Amino acid sequence: MKKYAILFIILVSLYFVPSESFAQGCVAIRQFSGLGNAVGQGNILNRGEWNVSANYRYFKSFRHFRGTHEEPNRIEDGTEVINHQHGLDINISYAFSERLYGLISLPFQYNERSSLYEHNRTERHTTYSKGFGDMRIGAGYWLLSGEKAKKGNTAIGLGIKFPTGDYAATSTFYKGAEGVPTEMTVDQSIQLGDGGTGLIVDFQGLWNIGSTNFWYYDGFYMFNPKETNGTPTNRSRPNEAIMSVPDQFALRTGVFHSFEKIHGLGASVGGRIEGIPVHDAFGGSEGFRRPGYIISVEPGVSYMFGNVTGTLNVPIALFRNRTQSVTDMENSTPDNEVHGDAAFADYLINFTVAVRIPKKVKEVFNSL
């Protein structure tokens, strides 16, 4: 039973903590996890049991990078773009068996973006977006069972991301010398969705590496075949008038330790990389996007009380790279290389509360 509890804590702590919704800045990833990574504990639940979790995420992006080079003058001059982004994912998972599980993930967002260049370039104003994001649904399967799964297990998952979020959200901009209020579409980084139907392939794994220490890993790749979504960017450079619908990817790995003297308490430390590629795996890659990636160290802590588990993970940025996009390359000349920038955050806050609903609770409820 003790080992069962430790595994439950680890899986809730690690796999109920998605990304990004989004990445830590203008490189607009709208969730970290694929599907199995948000479910977790699929090999712990008995057939017919449920898990319900709420994952809150927050970051403030403001450090501008062009490639791997930071541009500190943007902060010094007061011209930096500042994004405040809040996300709440409601994840509901169900175990069809001890190996097969399903998930639905319902995302909600609230975003603020403060800048000079999007308005009259002399006064800082803020644009907003809020509402339902792109929902995800899918299933996963643990590869091992019974005695073979005692030391560890790996699951693979498939799912679909639906374009349920508003990908043409608008807000008030203040344009020209007069600062005339104008309703326009907000920047790609705070749009609630991307307008594409995505195929998600993911995996997750957990292995005992001695006593109360465990090695974990999980990741996903989301294929977005649709090239552009028709939403205007309000940008003047050639080929950047319409927003692109990019692929997304992420990978995490690390070690989790369960404290024997404090029952229910655990801590983890690991690394992660997440980003948007320059070119999609399938379909075209035209339209405006900010490709790039961020590498972070990710400490975390968790505590389980009964069937309720709370976790806090805080990825801290170590390396940020805003790579050259397709439109950057198209607009470059031998005498002038175009390379757009992006604002990144220093850290990301992930807080999750997960509730496991055992089968016996359902049986009691049904008997009433």
Side-chain angles (χ1 to χ4, degrees):
M1 290 298 293
K2 184 176 180 181
K3 185 175 181 181
Y4 182 99
I6 293 173
L7 289 172
F8 185 82
I9 296 170
I10 298 169
L11 288 164
V12 172
S13 301
L14 301 177
Y15 303 135
F16 270 98
V17 181
S19 45
E20 99 298 21
S21 61
F22 10 133
Q24 299 181 39
C26 292
V27 178
I29 298 179
R30 290 177 176 80
Q31 75 274 349
F32 174 79
S33 70
L35 291 163
N37 309 316
V39 179
Q41 61 204 343
N43 61 342
I44 296 296
L45 295 179
N46 294 315
R47 179 179 179 181
E49 294 186 336
W50 296 79
N51 278 292
V52 179
S53 76
N55 168 248
Y56 168 76
R57 301 179 306 282
Y58 166 77
F59 69 80
K60 171 190 174 183
S61 64
F62 64 100
R63 295 192 185 277
H64 284 257
F65 283 78
R66 199 177 303 269
T68 60
H69 172 68
E70 184 179 359
E71 300 180 325
N73 62 291
R74 295 293 298 273
I75 297 175
E76 295 167 3
D77 299 339
T79 61
E80 78 277 21
V81 176
I82 304 172
N83 279 12
H84 292 276
Q85 299 191 250
H86 304 262
L88 177 67
D89 281 2
I90 305 299
N91 301 307
I92 303 171
S93 62
Y94 178 78
F96 297 102
S97 70
E98 291 187 357
R99 299 175 71 180
L100 180 64
Y101 56 85
L103 165 80
I104 182 170
S105 184
L106 308 173
F108 301 86
Q109 299 178 37
Y110 174 78
N111 309 306
E112 300 178 358
R113 179 178 173 86
S114 168
S115 69
L116 291 171
Y117 87 93
E118 293 173 307
H119 303 277
N120 55 17
R121 295 185 178 271
T122 59
E123 295 179 289
R124 181 175 290 274
H125 295 282
T126 302
T127 51
Y128 306 87
S129 65
K130 61 180 179 179
F132 191 64
D134 287 350
M135 67 177 289
R136 308 181 297 280
I137 187 169
Y141 187 76
W142 293 93
L143 301 180
L144 303 178
S145 64
E147 291 294 317
K148 295 181 179 179
K150 279 191 172 181
K151 292 289 291 183
N153 212 341
T154 298
I156 56 175
L158 287 173
I160 299 175
K161 179 195 70 68
F162 297 96
T164 52
D166 187 356
Y167 54 90
T170 63
S171 189
T172 302
F173 291 76
Y174 296 86
K175 308 298 289 183
E178 301 293 328
V180 178
T182 307
E183 194 76 6
M184 299 169 59
T185 50
V186 298
D187 185 77
Q188 187 177 53
S189 64
I190 64 169
Q191 288 292 341
L192 302 175
D194 60 24
T197 299
L199 173 64
I200 303 168
V201 178
D202 67 43
F203 68 92
Q204 58 179 310
L206 178 71
W207 294 86
N208 182 222
I209 55 176
S211 185
T212 56
N213 296 316
F214 297 81
W215 171 43
Y216 69 87
Y217 49 88
D218 61 81
F220 81 94
Y221 193 96
M222 185 174 73
F223 301 91
N224 250 336
K226 189 174 182 178
E227 187 167 25
T228 58
N229 60 19
T231 301
T233 63
N234 309 309
R235 303 178 71 87
S236 59
R237 282 178 179 167
N239 308 324
E240 292 189 346
I242 303 298
M243 295 185 189
S244 179
V245 182
D247 289 359
Q248 300 175 20
F249 65 88
L251 175 67
R252 302 165 71 221
T253 187
V255 176
F256 181 94
H257 175 75
S258 177
F259 295 94
E260 293 184 292
K261 294 183 179 181
I262 307 177
H263 181 69
L265 181 65
S268 65
V269 63
R272 71 191 239 169
I273 180 172
E274 56 195 308
I276 288 177
V278 176
H279 299 278
D280 290 348
F282 303 104
S285 305
E286 294 294 331
F288 176 74
R289 71 173 71 183
R290 295 185 184 94
Y293 59 91
I294 180 170
I295 299 174
S296 306
V297 61
E298 184 176 19
V301 63
S302 67
Y303 186 75
M304 184 178 75
F305 183 78
N307 290 314
V308 179
T309 302
T311 69
L312 176 65
N313 286 50
V314 184
I316 301 169
L318 298 178
F319 184 84
R320 288 157 280 200
N321 186 1
R322 199 296 203 181
T323 51
Q324 193 179 30
S325 68
V326 170
T327 55
D328 286 341
M329 298 175 192
E330 292 174 343
N331 292 325
S332 293
T333 66
D335 298 325
N336 180 35
E337 180 184 86
V338 176
H339 195 143
D341 71 328
F344 291 87
D346 286 336
Y347 60 88
L348 171 69
I349 296 174
N350 274 314
F351 178 71
T352 301
V353 175
V355 180
R356 173 176 173 263
I357 304 175
K359 200 169 184 179
K360 63 181 180 179
V361 173
K362 287 180 58 185
E363 292 171 352
V364 170
F365 180 80
N366 292 335
S367 67
L368 296 178

